[in-house]
Amino acid sequence: MITSDPIVPDEWVTGVDPACGAVVTFLGVVRSHNGGRAVTGIFYDCYRDMAERELSRIIDEVVAGTHIHSARVVHRIGEVAVGEASLLVVVAAAHRQAAFRASEKIVDAIKARVPIWKKEHYADGAAEWL
Amino acid sequence: MKVHVLFFAQLRDVTGSDHRVVSVEDGLTVGRLVELLRSEWQGTQAATLPLARAVNEEVVDDDHVLREGDRVALLPPVTGG
């Protein structure tokens, strides 16, 4: 799902099927520096209807194509400050190897396919679309 | 016929808008619509920015034929995640 609200990971790592022995959580966080420049925050623009649809597709594909039980994705949009999470991916599987691999696959697919764009704000006042 | 053109990210900054209703001839393709818009943006970054195209939230090719009321999204290279 897409949200403008701060991401609270604990809310998403619950209600996992007891057949799952591995729950992998990935948190994408706004970094303080990029390319040698001091970053103060990132603005995320989004084509919301299409992004929601594409996130669902990615999850369905990875669940169908790997040995994981379920996956949840939350992507935050709008202004996100340094140190705050912009992406949460939670993957549950019977065993850890599948969970680790699937979480990486999901993050890579999100970065390649979902219509979301970042504008980085810098300490010197400048801002740039990445 | 009228179609809705949706702008995002740097394209929104350049055009000053996130949405525009455009009157076009029947049977216009997405590719031709983008050409027409790019000619308006000549001299700006938008003229040469690589753009994927989506119609009603599905990615399409340049030869996709537009219909009345279509939502045409012009998508700069995505950088989410």
Side-chain angles (χ1 to χ4, degrees), chain A residues 3 5-9 26-30 44 74-77 79-88:
Chain A
T3 182
D5 297 329
I7 295 175
V8 181
F26 170 82
L27 217 51
V29 177
V30 175
Y44 289 90
V74 183
H75 200 308
R76 187 170 165 194
I77 57 172
E79 297 288 355
V80 185
V82 164
E84 292 186 0
S86 53
L87 176 63
L88 172 72

Side-chain angles (χ1 to χ4, degrees), chain A residues 35-63:
Chain A
R37 296 171 84 174
V39 173
T40 57
I42 291 180
F43 172 75
Y44 289 90
D45 192 9
C46 178
Y47 183 10
R48 200 148 181 169
D49 290 343
M50 190 172 168
E52 295 272 17
R53 193 188 284 200
E54 199 60 25
L55 281 181
S56 290
R57 272 192 194 147
I58 288 168
I59 290 171
D60 288 348
E61 285 167 16
V62 175
V63 169

Side-chain angles (χ1 to χ4, degrees), chain B residues 69-81:
Chain B
D70 273 348
R71 294 179 301 283
V72 184
L74 302 182
L75 311 174
V78 300
T79 53

Side-chain angles (χ1 to χ4, degrees), chain A residues 2 4 32 48 64 119:
Chain A
I2 308 282
S4 306
S32 60
R48 200 148 181 169
K119 187 175 196 175

Side-chain angles (χ1 to χ4, degrees), chain A residues 43 45-47 49-50 53 57 75 87 110-119 129-130, chain B residues 6-10 12-13 54 56-59 71 73-81:
Chain A
F43 172 75
D45 192 9
C46 178
Y47 183 10
D49 290 343
M50 190 172 168
R53 193 188 284 200
R57 272 192 194 147
H75 200 308
L87 176 63
I110 290 168
K111 286 178 168 295
R113 290 163 54 174
V114 178
I116 292 177
W117 300 269
K118 301 179 161 129
K119 187 175 196 175
W129 289 104
L130 297 189
Chain B
L6 309 179
F7 304 116
F8 299 93
Q10 49 274 64
R12 188 154 60 174
D13 285 355
N56 304 333
E57 294 89 52
E58 296 289 345
V59 174
R71 294 179 301 283
L74 302 182
L75 311 174
V78 300
T79 53

